[in-house]
Amino acid sequence: MGEPAIHADCLSKTYNGAVTALRGLSFDVVQGEVFGFLGPNGAGKTTTVKLLNGLLKPSSGSCSVMGLSPSIHSSEIHKICGVMTESAKMYGNMTGMENLEFFARMYGVEPGKAKARAESLLKCMDLWDARGRELHAYSTGMAQRLSLARALINDPKVLLLDEPTNGLDPESANAVNSMIASLACKEGVTVFLCTHQLRYAQDICRRYGIIEKGTLLACGDLETLARNAQFCPKAAMRLPDGEQLENFERGNDGWWRADIKEDDDMPRLLKKLVEEGHHVYEARIVRPSIEDIYFRYVQINRGEEWH
Ligand SMILES: Nc1ncnc2c1ncn2[C@@H]1O[C@H](COP(=O)(O)OP(=O)(O)OP(=O)(O)O)[C@@H](O)[C@H]1O
Ligand SMILES: [Mg+2]
């Protein structure tokens, strides 16, 4: 597995000695993976990003990015990290191009390379035609894409992204997500992705951390999380109208569903149904989505009933 790109060990943060935002978080993010950090408003996601980027210091515990401690090695961290947060503002009276060139200089990108890098990012983010326009004349989505370009200007090894697709229309959100996935896949960039957009997360994340009220409820890939939350796969069948299946539940979509223990139960079940004379038009195994899993963990944590 190699050295983790991001490591947190009992990481805690209390603001002004009063508001406890993080309580003893421990997790690793593997190099080159997209790690989805999911949690409701106020869970502690942005606080975690700020700790990883050295903007805040932990109250106790520690974290590291590529083996460096953000609170001690802050300038080294800024060289290898790209960060996109809502608070990371750029200059409204500078053009898109000028902003990127300015931040390239700030992050120590060689002047010879800065212009080419800025140009290629502007094209990639579909901002080429707006490159000469001042930032205050950008729409929310355009500013958001410029902010992602800024996070990438120093060719980072680690990307910390706080809600990168907030405010983007579906087409731009898709474009940004494919870009994030390809950075991880083709260039080995490690991505720490805070998001509420669970469906998008499932398309690009390999592993997840689920956080609520400063506590990490679960960490792992989809399969592990599903197993630990006691989700089993379901067999789903579509039959002609009027035909009934015993021990199955009929969903609003007309499909009949029943829990199975493992994939191997499916062929046995199908054989049985056909032998019983049922007309199975379609059959498939349904697994929980990250959205199903997320809600179950949050419900369990709040002590609510689930079914
Ligand atoms: N500067 C601050 N001073 C005091 N409390 C803060 C500060 N910043 C955040 N908090 C508190 O810390 C907790 C975690 O906030 P944080 O911004 O990390 O959550 P979040 O998961 O990013 O939420 P959201 O999804 O709304 O962005 C909240 O209770 C918040 O009120
Ligand atoms: Mg936040």
Side-chain angles (χ1 to χ4, degrees):
M1 188 156 118
E3 272 290 291
I6 298 176
H7 175 68
D9 187 20
C10 286
L11 189 62
S12 299
K13 177 69 192 176
T14 302
Y15 287 103
N16 316 317
V19 184
T20 302
L22 295 181
R23 302 163 197 271
L25 252 58
S26 297
F27 63 88
D28 282 336
V29 178
V30 179
Q31 282 188 32
E33 78 177 351
V34 182
F35 183 85
F37 202 49
L38 317 176
N41 292 137
K45 303 180 297 296
T46 300
T47 304
T48 307
V49 167
K50 287 181 176 167
L51 287 163
L52 293 174
N53 186 38
L55 276 174
L56 291 174
K57 285 192 173 32
S59 307
S60 67
S62 63
C63 57
S64 65
V65 177
M66 301 304 276
L68 301 166
S69 161
S71 50
I72 302 169
H73 305 103
S74 81
S75 62
E76 285 95 326
I77 294 270
H78 287 144
K79 281 201 185 108
I80 56 165
C81 242
V83 189
M84 179 181 175
T85 60
E86 275 187 15
S87 56
K89 293 274 181 282
M90 290 183 282
Y91 296 96
N93 57 354
M94 280 166 39
T95 66
M97 187 73 194
E98 286 165 352
N99 265 294
L100 290 187
E101 286 190 306
F102 173 83
F103 283 101
R105 273 199 303 281
M106 250 186 61
Y107 292 129
V109 179
E110 284 173 37
K113 288 192 181 151
K115 189 159 188 276
R117 180 94 186 134
E119 286 178 355
S120 105
L121 284 167
L122 285 165
K123 286 178 188 157
C124 211
M125 297 296 167
D126 203 13
L127 289 172
W128 184 244
D129 292 344
R131 67 190 182 282
R133 234 186 281 164
E134 291 185 357
L135 173 60
H136 60 65
Y138 276 29
S139 73
T140 312
M142 289 162 76
Q144 190 82 342
R145 280 179 277 146
L146 190 68
S147 174
L148 184 59
R150 188 197 79 149
L152 292 169
I153 196 76
N154 57 339
D155 216 349
K157 290 192 168 51
V158 177
L159 259 182
L160 307 175
L161 303 177
D162 198 359
E163 304 285 357
T165 45
N166 235 6
L168 296 189
D169 62 38
E171 195 185 343
S172 309
N174 271 332
V176 165
N177 278 314
S178 348
M179 174 151 190
I180 295 170
S182 97
L183 281 166
C185 176
K186 297 201 187 115
E187 297 180 35
V189 176
T190 307
V191 184
F192 185 81
L193 172 72
C194 302
T195 186
H196 293 124
Q197 295 180 321
L198 304 177
R199 277 185 210 145
Y200 284 127
Q202 187 158 348
D203 291 339
I204 59 172
C205 296
R206 199 159 72 80
R207 291 195 318 127
Y208 305 88
I210 300 178
I211 180 175
E212 194 190 27
K213 297 199 185 105
T215 304
L216 195 65
L217 305 181
C219 195
D221 59 21
L222 202 65
E223 215 180 300
T224 313
L225 293 178
R227 206 173 36 244
N228 293 347
Q230 278 142 36
F231 265 108
C232 25
K234 283 182 191 295
M237 311 282 168
R238 191 168 69 80
L239 305 174
D241 282 346
E243 217 172 285
Q244 308 260 330
L245 280 189
E246 235 175 81
N247 303 323
F248 275 69
E249 259 181 49
R250 190 168 187 274
N252 292 334
D253 56 1
W255 283 69
W256 294 84
R257 288 182 180 77
D259 286 349
I260 52 175
K261 283 208 180 62
E262 51 188 10
D263 291 11
D264 255 359
D265 290 343
M266 190 66 166
R268 281 194 287 274
L269 189 59
L270 261 178
K271 188 158 177 271
K272 181 172 158 274
L273 295 179
V274 171
E275 280 171 3
E276 286 171 3
H278 288 292
H279 302 88
V280 181
Y281 285 166
E282 281 183 79
R284 56 185 163 92
I285 294 178
V286 182
R287 294 175 212 288
S289 64
I290 189 61
E291 198 166 6
D292 301 327
I293 294 172
Y294 170 86
F295 284 117
R296 184 171 290 184
Y297 273 105
V298 171
Q299 280 174 341
I300 295 171
N301 188 48
R302 292 177 184 167
E304 289 168 15
E305 284 293 314
W306 48 265
H307 20 243

